[in-house]
Amino acid sequence: MPSIIVYDNVPHSHCGCGADHNPEVTTFTFEASAVRAAGADITRHNFDEEPMAFMSTPISSFVAKKGVHRLPAVVVDGAVVLDGRYPTREELAEWAELSTDQLATLVEIPEETLPLAGHGSGGSCGCGGHGHEHGDRSEHHGQGCGCGGHGHAH
């Protein structure tokens, strides 16, 4: 199975709350998890957290020529195949060469989490409930943070 490596400059620990919310990162996280669960080999490296991962070719050449502002970039089996945006579920599945049976196992993003994943007008945080507080749920346009209330106050 091909190796898919996503290089980006958004910290993995970034929950996407507030003004820094990036629905593309949240959607990509959901989609990559679904494709990985179907058997794909997907790795993600962050420029700030893992700078040494960016020293390997071809990503080092890519960053030297185009700069970190062109991240994210996707490398499949040693070749840059996409840059400037996160890949879609369909692109990941195609690069991973998933079989028809494996594609059938991909979990769809549930309708109620679409605002969380950046689809629609909701402003959910996508934090997964990891150690922070939210004020009134209305600050998330009535969608809640998607954490289920685990480990922090609402």
Side-chain angles (χ1 to χ4, degrees), residues 26-91:
T26 306
T27 299
F28 168 71
T29 301
F30 272 104
E31 302 291 37
S33 293
V35 176
R36 190 179 296 114
D41 177 15
I42 302 173
T43 306
R44 184 174 169 199
H45 295 291
N46 176 266
F47 188 75
D48 291 332
E49 295 172 357
E50 304 171 81
M52 295 306 292
F54 286 75
M55 300 308 239
S56 65
T57 304
I59 199 63
S60 61
S61 300
F62 172 84
V63 171
K65 288 178 188 172
K66 297 192 177 192
V68 294
H69 68 280
R70 287 299 302 166
L71 297 175
V74 180
V75 174
V76 177
D77 286 342
V80 176
V81 296
L82 179 72
D83 68 87
R85 67 173 175 83
Y86 287 96
T88 65
R89 174 188 296 221
E90 293 77 18
E91 289 168 327

Side-chain angles (χ1 to χ4, degrees), residues 86-110:
Y86 287 96
T88 65
R89 174 188 296 221
E90 293 77 18
E91 289 168 327
L92 290 169
E94 178 182 335
W95 296 326
E97 299 175 356
L98 295 182
S99 69
T100 304
D101 290 340
Q102 289 170 309
L103 286 173
T105 68
L106 293 183
V107 176
E108 292 297 320
I109 298 174

Side-chain angles (χ1 to χ4, degrees), residues 127 129 131-137 139-140 145 147 149-154:
C127 66
H132 67 277
E133 296 184 16
H134 295 289
D136 179 54
R137 285 179 177 251
E139 73 184 50
H140 294 291
C145 84
C147 69
H150 303 292
H152 64 278
H154 286 273

